[in-house]
Amino acid sequence: MTSDNLRTFKPEKLFAPRDFSQLTIRQPQYLEIGAGRGKHALMFAQDNPDKHLIAIERTRNKFNDFAEKAEQLSLGNLMAVHADAIPWVVHALEPKSLAGVFLLYPNPEPKNPSQRWLNMPFFEFLLSRMQDNAKLVLATNIESYIEEAEQLAREQWQLGPNVFEVDKSSQRTHFEVKYLARGETCWQMDIIKPEGYQTRFDEWIKE
Ligand SMILES: C[S@@+](CC[C@H](N)C(=O)[O-])C[C@H]1O[C@@H](n2cnc3c(N)ncnc32)[C@H](O)[C@@H]1O
């Protein structure tokens, strides 16, 4: 189910990221977008040896830090990718290939709604890459962001989001640690992709 309120995403217009090479997707496959210095990705891969994680970060210095730690731990189930996730996802992933997605503390420019994931035409494409019953996790310390995301999930994307406060002892990412240490509240929204959910990209595969 989709809405006509947003521009339609045009995957065919996106060039492959520099140095892109196709990889084998192994199941169950998870995706983290905006992995930062990789705290969550490294922990997830260590704690879940039976799950595979692709973790993408586009900022060079953060990625270098993440890649160095990933190399030291040489985790066979973690792939650290330096790229803009949008063209990378378009070029690398087939429909219904993801068992789960993490968008942790994306911190968009507050005045730029088009940078917020559920406001982006790309979000429909991302939903198309998720398997039935796959979970998308979004976390933020910005109350207006989680409120807007919840409303968009319900009204624009016809999904049933579950929003709750992140436990004060949680330490999944560097930003989460920083916000909770300052005494701020962090929120999480979980979305399960329902069986039979349809998008306009369900048959779309990059030629
Ligand atoms: C505020 S940081 C949070 C990093 C980490 N998730 C954490 O919580 O510590 C958001 C990160 O998302 C990355 N990012 C934003 N949009 C991205 C995109 N389209 N592709 C890859 N990374 C992206 C930024 O470079 C930035 O490092």
Side-chain angles (χ1 to χ4, degrees):
M1 297 275 279
T2 59
S3 157
D4 293 332
N5 295 346
L6 277 183
R7 283 172 295 119
T8 305
F9 185 59
K10 301 249 182 333
E12 66 281 2
K13 301 244 189 252
L14 295 180
F15 292 110
R18 201 145 36 103
D19 302 328
F20 176 78
S21 56
Q22 195 64 49
L23 55 108
T24 310
I25 300 297
R26 291 171 302 164
Q27 293 297 341
Q29 182 66 65
Y30 290 73
L31 173 71
E32 180 170 351
I33 297 180
R37 298 182 195 280
K39 185 174 168 60
H40 173 265
L42 294 161
M43 248 170 14
F44 180 90
Q46 283 178 302
D47 292 350
N48 299 281
D50 55 328
K51 296 177 180 161
H52 300 276
L53 177 65
I54 295 165
I56 309 181
E57 174 51 53
R58 73 175 171 199
T59 303
R60 164 64 71 186
N61 63 348
K62 290 187 190 179
F63 174 77
N64 286 349
D65 208 14
F66 172 26
E68 196 178 310
K69 287 182 211 135
E71 206 176 311
Q72 279 163 12
L73 292 171
S74 71
L75 296 159
N77 60 338
L78 173 63
M79 171 164 295
V81 174
H82 179 224
D84 181 331
I86 296 177
W88 194 92
V89 165
V90 163
H91 283 263
L93 298 181
E94 296 196 345
K96 296 200 173 185
S97 52
L98 296 173
V101 177
F102 298 102
L103 303 168
L104 303 176
Y105 302 95
N107 281 22
E109 170 60 45
K111 292 204 179 91
N112 192 347
S114 65
Q115 287 182 356
R116 303 199 283 266
W117 288 109
L118 279 87
N119 250 327
M120 292 184 196
F122 168 73
F123 194 73
E124 182 180 354
F125 192 88
L126 183 61
L127 289 169
S128 77
R129 306 298 106 169
M130 290 167 62
Q131 295 160 352
D132 289 353
N133 298 312
K135 182 160 82 170
L136 180 142
V137 175
L138 172 78
T140 181
N141 65 323
I142 305 168
E143 189 167 15
S144 58
Y145 188 2
I146 207 74
E147 284 171 0
E148 181 192 78
E150 184 178 16
Q151 189 180 357
L152 286 166
R154 278 188 211 293
E155 293 173 11
Q156 178 110 20
W157 302 112
Q158 310 286 303
L159 294 160
N162 176 28
V163 173
F164 54 93
E165 271 187 39
V166 172
D167 193 276
K168 301 283 178 220
S169 65
S170 184
Q171 304 203 336
R172 288 174 296 185
T173 78
H174 287 103
F175 276 76
E176 185 167 83
V177 170
K178 181 170 81 177
Y179 298 137
L180 292 175
R182 282 186 200 157
E184 292 181 26
T185 301
C186 295
W187 289 271
Q188 180 165 325
M189 179 174 78
D190 291 350
I191 295 173
I192 307 283
K193 182 179 172 181
E195 275 177 43
Y197 187 89
Q198 291 181 342
T199 80
R200 286 168 286 196
F201 303 106
D202 293 346
E203 309 297 327
W204 197 93
I205 297 174
K206 187 78 195 164
E207 296 298 323

